[in-house]
Amino acid sequence: MRAVHLGGASGPAVSALCLGTLPFGSTVDERTSFAILDRFREAGGTFLDTANNYVFWAGTGDESETVVGRWLASRGARDEMVVATKIGARPRRAGGDLSDAEGLSAPAVRTAVEASLRRLGVDRLDVCYAHIEDRSVPLTETLGAFADLVDRQRIAVLGCSNHALWRLERARGLARAHGWPAYTCVQQRHSYLRPRPGVRLPEAGHTLISDELLDYARHEPDLTLLAYSSLLFGAYTRADKPLPEHYDHPGTTRRLAVLRAVAAELGATPNQVVLAWLLAGDPPVLPVVGVSTVAQVEECLAATELTLDEEVLARLDAPA
């Protein structure tokens, strides 16, 4: 699998496909999780994504990090893998929700990072994201706490997820002004199909990659964009997974028709075309793929070998 660099040419090299591990240890049992991780590693995958709150709505929030940590230890794979996790969106009390999240105060950041390190069984987080915005805390407090953890080699690369563009730009400006490490990875929700303009997503805390963010990233060579939910929970290929209502608009009809035509012409699945389209974009967007079976991993891996030429990309991106 080809490699890319996070946060510019001097950043760590990772596989172009990032394996999301949200269901590991909960709806995907440990044996299956290990099989998925083994196959991903065998294919040259080196980039894993988790969070300190997966899956708090159906468990404790420890599950994913704990399973990933056990796999790293059992396979002796720590030095081969770039492990990303997220903090800030874990409920402070069992049974809580995002309205009671730990947040991004300096004490919360320090405590959350140390807990993630323990669950993962590592001494450094290769990438650590601020998972959701916390506007109750000054950005300088959050960024200063992160900078201290980078100085102490507890974190290597910083990122943010589900942040408004203006907050990202302000955070990066403050980091430059103080001589602190900046957010260089941004993970938001993104796919080939787009919801109706102005729609409010039903999933709490989710923020889309906007056209403005794409344009911003084109002019920031040290910024890497990553996309979660890029396969829309199976809706591109599974009849039992209809598109959510907020994708019901004329643009969806046209884009789906083109997507399916391109997939048929290339002998690929719509999922594979979507992933290849993300990677071929300007700027490229690295997919964080969530899977629950080895077969799904195989489908996603094949997307990294799929080439979309300029004519195909123009058809996929043509306005309605």
Side-chain angles (χ1 to χ4, degrees):
M1 193 186 309
R2 68 184 176 91
V4 297
H5 289 270
L6 295 179
S10 62
V14 298
S15 55
L17 204 64
C18 179
L19 182 65
T21 65
L22 180 150
F24 290 6
S26 53
T27 56
V28 177
D29 62 37
E30 185 165 309
R31 180 178 178 180
T32 304
S33 300
F34 277 30
I36 291 168
L37 288 159
D38 287 342
R39 178 63 188 112
F40 184 68
R41 178 192 185 195
E42 179 185 53
T46 62
F47 195 13
L48 305 178
D49 183 86
T50 183
N52 76 340
N53 71 341
Y54 293 159
V55 289
F56 75 84
W57 52 93
T60 66
D62 292 356
E63 288 83 357
S64 177
E65 285 186 332
T66 300
V67 166
V68 169
R70 283 203 284 260
W71 179 81
L72 290 170
S74 70
R75 303 305 193 255
R78 175 64 186 104
D79 292 341
E80 300 173 42
M81 295 292 156
V82 174
V83 181
T85 195
K86 311 175 197 73
I87 66 167
R90 183 183 173 108
R92 290 179 294 173
R93 286 174 284 275
D97 57 26
L98 292 184
S99 67
D100 184 38
E102 64 196 350
L104 294 170
S105 68
V109 167
R110 288 191 291 266
T111 299
V113 166
E114 293 303 324
S116 287
L117 290 166
R118 287 194 299 273
R119 284 188 289 270
L120 289 163
V122 300
D123 58 12
R124 181 193 66 180
L125 302 177
D126 299 318
V127 183
C128 185
Y129 295 94
H131 200 164
I132 57 172
E133 290 184 306
D134 182 358
R135 297 189 183 185
S136 72
V137 173
L139 276 169
T140 50
E141 179 177 342
T142 300
L143 296 168
F146 275 134
D148 176 65
L149 289 162
V150 173
D151 285 345
R152 294 196 288 116
Q153 298 184 24
R154 304 300 266 170
I155 301 172
V157 173
L158 294 176
C160 65
S161 181
N162 300 310
H163 277 54
L165 176 54
W166 73 267
R167 295 276 291 179
L168 167 65
E169 167 60 12
R170 182 165 295 180
R172 283 167 58 83
L174 287 169
R176 287 191 295 268
H178 287 271
W180 292 335
Y183 294 146
T184 56
C185 293
V186 180
Q187 186 180 143
Q188 316 270 69
R189 182 166 167 174
H190 187 54
S191 187
Y192 176 64
L193 296 182
R194 306 294 291 271
R196 289 191 306 276
V199 72
R200 186 178 183 86
L201 295 174
E203 296 87 1
H206 287 215
T207 301
L208 295 165
I209 289 182
S210 64
D211 290 338
E212 289 81 7
L213 177 55
L214 290 169
D215 189 51
Y216 177 73
R218 290 185 192 103
H219 298 88
E220 297 290 321
D222 68 334
L223 197 66
T224 300
L225 299 183
L226 302 98
Y228 68 86
S229 298
S230 53
L231 299 181
L232 298 183
F233 314 104
Y236 284 112
T237 57
R238 292 176 53 177
D240 64 326
K241 296 284 187 178
L243 282 169
E245 184 274 336
H246 44 274
Y247 289 91
D248 183 11
H249 59 89
T252 290
T253 303
R254 189 207 68 81
R255 286 175 79 86
L256 268 181
V258 175
L259 175 66
R260 289 167 177 163
V262 167
E265 291 164 15
L266 297 177
T269 68
N271 283 343
Q272 290 165 345
V273 175
V274 169
L275 297 177
W277 173 82
L278 288 167
L279 289 168
D282 176 24
V285 179
L286 305 190
V288 181
V289 293
V291 300
S292 57
T293 67
V294 173
Q296 290 173 351
V297 176
E298 298 288 359
E299 180 184 16
C300 293
L301 290 170
T304 64
E305 306 300 322
L306 186 64
T307 299
L308 305 181
D309 62 28
E310 291 185 6
E311 185 272 333
V312 167
L313 288 170
R315 285 170 59 196
L316 288 166
D317 289 326

